[in-house]
């Protein structure tokens, strides 16, 4: 059977690339990868206080799919907290109505309706697209 995954609509990029535990150098840390849509699920439900029904509609996915994403997000974050790991927010299967970039020079996140070549804040040309869903996460196929 073809494995067809619906892409999830995400309005704006995560505020940060991730989090690290206080006082531990990054090179000594293991990390947990949180996909962009897991981050978004948690943000909509626990930060914007939407019901799972409303949040699912916002992401253009079914309510059960939303609840699975939300549960996964919470488990990943709990694992990072309990095991003292960093959290990296990246990848997943999603689409955005805009172009998202992150500046490698000043770490600014840029959201634009059209393609950009330079950072809004520091004018650096060293910016990378971050709105394209990738599969380089710890996401497992679940039945
Ligand atoms: Zn910049």
């Amino acid at each position: 059977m073809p494995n067809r995954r619906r892409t999830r609509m995400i309005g704006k990029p995560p505020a940060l690339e991730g989090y690290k535990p206080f006082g531990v150098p990054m090179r000594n840390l293991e990390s947990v990868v949180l996909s962009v849509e897991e981050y978004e699920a948690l943000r909509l439900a626990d930060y914007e206080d939407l019901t799972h029904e409303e949040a699912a509609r916002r992401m253009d996915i079914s309510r059960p799919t939303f609840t699975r994403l939300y549960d996964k997000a919470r488990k990943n974050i709990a694992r990072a907290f309990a095991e003292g790991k960093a959290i990296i927010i990246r990848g997943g299967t999603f689409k955005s109505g805009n172009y998202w970039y992150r500046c490698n020079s000043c770490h600014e996140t840029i959201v634009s309706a059209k393609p950009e070549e330079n950072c809004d804040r520091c004018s650096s040309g060293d910016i990378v697209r971050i709105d394209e869903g990738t599969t380089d996460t710890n996401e497992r196929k679940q039945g």
Side-chain angles (χ1 to χ4, degrees):
M1 210 159 66
N3 184 11
R4 290 204 304 160
R5 294 167 52 84
R6 266 188 89 175
T7 54
R8 298 78 188 254
M9 191 63 182
I10 298 187
K12 63 179 183 205
L16 291 169
E17 292 168 71
Y19 291 86
K20 72 187 272 297
F22 187 79
V24 185
M26 198 63 202
R27 65 179 177 278
N28 297 335
L29 280 174
E30 287 182 51
S31 56
V32 167
V33 175
L34 197 67
S35 71
V36 171
E37 60 261 35
E38 287 168 27
Y39 160 87
E40 182 73 351
L42 194 79
R43 192 184 69 80
L44 291 174
D46 290 342
Y47 180 74
E48 291 200 9
D49 273 333
L50 300 185
T51 64
H52 287 198
E53 203 76 58
E54 292 167 332
R57 221 174 301 128
R58 193 82 82 81
M59 292 178 74
D60 196 24
I61 56 179
S62 70
R63 217 257 326 129
T65 300
F66 177 85
T67 300
R68 272 196 300 277
L69 272 178
Y70 175 74
D71 286 346
K72 235 167 93 183
R74 295 181 71 137
K75 287 205 167 71
N76 277 332
I77 290 168
R79 188 155 56 89
F81 279 11
E83 298 176 6
K85 292 181 174 170
I87 300 169
I88 308 290
I89 305 170
R90 137 181 110 208
T93 310
F94 65 93
K95 60 181 186 279
S96 157
N98 288 308
Y99 294 90
W100 301 351
Y101 300 91
R102 182 160 284 125
C103 175
N104 283 329
S105 300
C106 73
H107 300 283
E108 176 81 342
T109 300
I110 303 147
V111 179
S112 174
K114 58 179 178 40
E116 298 287 347
E117 286 180 3
N118 294 94
C119 173
D120 280 353
R121 187 161 76 184
C122 74
S123 306
S124 167
D126 190 8
I127 59 175
V128 290
R129 279 286 289 278
I130 56 170
D131 60 288
E132 288 165 325
T134 60
T135 50
D136 66 336
T137 68
N138 60 354
E139 188 155 312
R140 276 150 301 212
K141 305 280 182 258
Q142 287 173 342

